[in-house]
Amino acid sequence: MKYINLLVFLSAFFVPYVIKAQANKPAPLNIEVKLTEGTNMAAALSPDKKTLAIDLQGTIWVMSSHGGKAIPITDDLGDCHEPTWSPDGKRIAFHSYRTGTYHIWTVKKDGTDLQQITDGIFDDREPSWSRDNKSIIFSSDRLGNYDLWTVDIASRKTRAITTSKEDEYNPSVSPDGKKIAFVSEGKERGIYILENGKASLAAASTLTLNAPSWNENGEHIVYISYERGISKLNLIHTKSKSSVVLSANEDIFPFKASWISNNSFLYTGNGKIQKRYLGDERISHIPFEASIILEREGYKRKQYHFDDKNEQKALGIVGPVASPDGRSVAFAAIGNIYIQEIGGKLTQVTNDSYVDLDPDWSPDGKTLAYVSDRGGKMEIWLHDIQSGKSRILKTEISGSASQPCWSPDGKTIAFYSKDMNEWGRGVLYLIHPQTSELRKLHHAIFVPAKPSWSSDGKSIALMALEPSSSRYREGMNRFLIVPVSGEASRFVSPDPLVSPGFRGQNGPVWSPDGTKMAYSQDGMLWIVTVDIKGNINGSPKQLTNELAEKLSWSGDSKNIFYLSADQLKTININSGEIRSIPVNLTWKTQSSQIEYVIHAGKLFNGSDSTYHYNVDISIAGNRIKSVSAHKEHPANSVVIDAYDKVVMPGLFENHSHQHSSEGEKLGKIWLANGITSVREPGADPYDALERKESWASGVRPGPRLFTGGMLDGSRIYYGLSNTVGKKRHVELELERAEKLGYDLIKTYARMPDSIQKQIIKAAHKIGIPVSSHEIYPAAKYNIDAVEHLRGTSRRGYSPKQTALNKIYDDVIQIIVKSGMAVTPTIVMHEGFLKLVKADPKILENKQFKAYYPQTYMDDWNSRPARSDYGPNFPDFQKAVYTVLNSGGKITAGTDSPFVPYGTSLHAELWLYVDGGLTPYQALQSATLKSAESAGLQKDLGSIEPGKLADIVIISGDPLKNIRDSWNVHTVFKNGIKYTIDELLPTNKN
């Protein structure tokens, strides 16, 4: 089949790659895990009532209907779910993500004869057999939203059964084969019954609905509903359309029940396979045991050189753009704007401690537009090349300006305004650089790419997300054409089957002559011919076989400039000649020449659960020289008197997403909150490196940054998600990871398990860890960490945590026995809002008030509670407690900026303690445990001789009252001292 090629395609590349990586490696440690509970598992009873098929952690298993040992009949790479038996009992259908989108598959009950039934770029889910065994009804987004479809098993031909513009899904064929029950999200939401081509409403509901299932005589349908904190098992009488609630006090999973008789059925919930009778509230359980093997092995971690004082090449080259004459490239790096003449000198355009980004040349080459927070927030600045002077172009908007782009006549600049209260969304504006006349052109777009003008100045092209359905948020990157006249915008695509590269500065970039657009796809450079209105009128053409991103044209439309991993390059589109453009820009790590002695009244060293009293911590350069009992201090040392305070390791934020356009204040926010290390699992790699190098060099203050790329599958959501699937692209991404010195790789929600497995092996070869949202089979194949206890899932539900925030023993055992670290981020899942509602004074903290505007505080005060977290939030906290106290590894992170930078890490720790952890356990999760998970325990995470001098001094008693961790007085990062007064601004904007 056309789309079954992912496994075969990648194996040809990865097999030799992995074999080479195995040399001199220790044998893997095979760990058996016995699962007796399931989190969000489904179960289906065979027609003869003798056998159960269950989906447990993405594998289909069969077992006796009376209980016992479960036998796998699919492997662990298929992500298989929602099994259903054929009426003759010979085969089991399910949907599987094996090929990178969900499709319908079948297999014999003994595990032989695995067959893919549907294919394509769409998601096909939730199969239900026809009564004659000849076809399968399923839900699919083939028409742009979810409808019911049928596939003929013999011919593989598909046909739409419904074509509503509203999502319709969860089909269930009646026992007589004449009717289909399903869920509809139409104007009147509810359970519907389709008969003779006409749908009728069986049960109306505004709640989230799932999984209708007919009893044997067709008189009743059971379905599941969810409202805030409650899952319900509901029964419909199909003739009278009356409805009753059978159960409202369980954790019921969103899958079809299996009827044993007309008045008894099986369903899954509370971690178990359950049986009950109509009219009887008693529940019996069917026990099972399923064994999995985790193949865990060690690897040599990346070596860090924190003491290196030599010049280092600047790798964070951000927003490079060619001059109209093609002789120079302007870019941002290490906090400033530079111009590199090709084959000539490097000129520094700006020189300050603020953040200067996004340069763009005027058509005459005389002026650079860029954005800077020099005036208090990100605004557009205009730099005159001849005079060397810059002036601010005030936009009179409340948001931050980004990604300016000059019109061909030089009379207008297009740019985005971004509001922190609507994270990631940019409103497209036009501004006249002489008069500052401002015009809104397009409503907010989610994480859009840099705009690009048509040659006649009548249209703007940009990359934007086109969701594949309204049921799930993921979709494809498409070219959005926005007419300047105000006419409706429209999507176009060079290849509707493929999503171009991640949004940012990766196209579409209109050639100055208006005939072509350049863009990144599969990591490489492509062009396609277009007409003056942006309509595609030719076939796409690939220009490079190497990474090509951050694209711009020369003014004559003959050359395209781009970044390829760690090199700036240009290509002639006619000859294909590629030239490198050397950039001789370096930086050095900021170091301290002062020797300090901190006299600590109390020391929490990160390792011990109690304080050490009256201690001296000696700092020489960037390292801790000694930790000893207090004594007279040497005359050449600067003494910090912290006798009435607590000294502890700098905090480690283990999950945050940032962008340098947050401005100079971002680094100070972290330090002012006592956070000296930040792990960023997913970022534009060049933007992250600019930030990392600026903070490390001291161009602007900030923490240590550990970051890496985020690789995803065929569909994406976030602008920084990198669609990766083809052999060459995966290879290039791993090469870039090594060249740019990544600290980690994150694989995101739509990454197929087979590709994830190979990425883990390849990343470990170069010494860097891999994390994801998955626990299995990721844990089997040696993944290092999992982000979020819940988090985004391609399934529409999480295999880690249920809708009621509960986890079961399968999740606990996999996490604990694999040894992978979990970053729960419960503060993001309504935790911060819970704290704000309970104690509004959290918004009065001096660090928070100093950096966040009143409108942001007001937004948090007025936010409604989310429907799916609040009432069961204690179960979220209990999950953290259970994992940690069962022997699991917890690292503290927040997923900011969905919650506020800095503040949210303290809130996360408070929620841990509120949920049962000790303050010591909470503090360790944000110090030593995070350092260990990142492979940095030799240098960070505790206060010991030889470790880096990343230290925070606070008031209070955090081992007794965790909220005292916020009482920051002084911070040391790499031996450099910052007081809280130095870090907090005197006024905020």
Side-chain angles (χ1 to χ4, degrees), residues 89 134 225 252 257 334-335 339 462 504 776 848 857 869 879 901:
K134 293 181 179 180
S225 65
I252 304 168
I334 323 177
I339 297 175
L462 55 98
Y776 192 81
F848 188 87
M857 300 181 197
Y869 295 128
Y901 293 119

Side-chain angles (χ1 to χ4, degrees), residues 369-371 379-382 391-393 395 401 404 413 415 431:
Y370 64 95
V371 296
E379 294 274 17
I380 297 173
W381 289 69
L382 301 178
R391 68 178 178 90
I392 191 170
L393 180 58
T395 58
I413 295 174
F415 72 99
I431 191 169

Side-chain angles (χ1 to χ4, degrees), residues 299-304 692 740-743 766-769 935:
Y299 63 96
K300 185 178 180 181
R301 283 293 189 100
K302 169 185 174 179
Q303 298 298 302
Y304 287 88
K692 184 176 188 175
L740 296 185
Y742 282 14
D743 303 297
I766 60 175
I768 61 175

Side-chain angles (χ1 to χ4, degrees), residues 25-38:
K25 285 282 185 111
L29 179 62
N30 293 329
I31 303 169
E32 183 179 14
V33 182
K34 293 183 179 181
L35 309 179
T36 58
E37 288 186 331

Side-chain angles (χ1 to χ4, degrees), residues 281-315:
E281 294 185 357
R282 291 176 297 177
I283 300 172
S284 59
H285 300 140
I286 300 174
F288 68 89
E289 180 182 294
S291 293
I292 60 175
I293 301 295
L294 307 181
E295 301 167 3
R296 308 293 293 184
E297 61 180 310
Y299 63 96
K300 185 178 180 181
R301 283 293 189 100
K302 169 185 174 179
Q303 298 298 302
Y304 287 88
H305 305 285
F306 294 115
D307 302 314
D308 189 352
K309 297 181 180 180
N310 295 320
E311 298 278 351
Q312 300 184 53
K313 177 183 177 181
L315 297 173

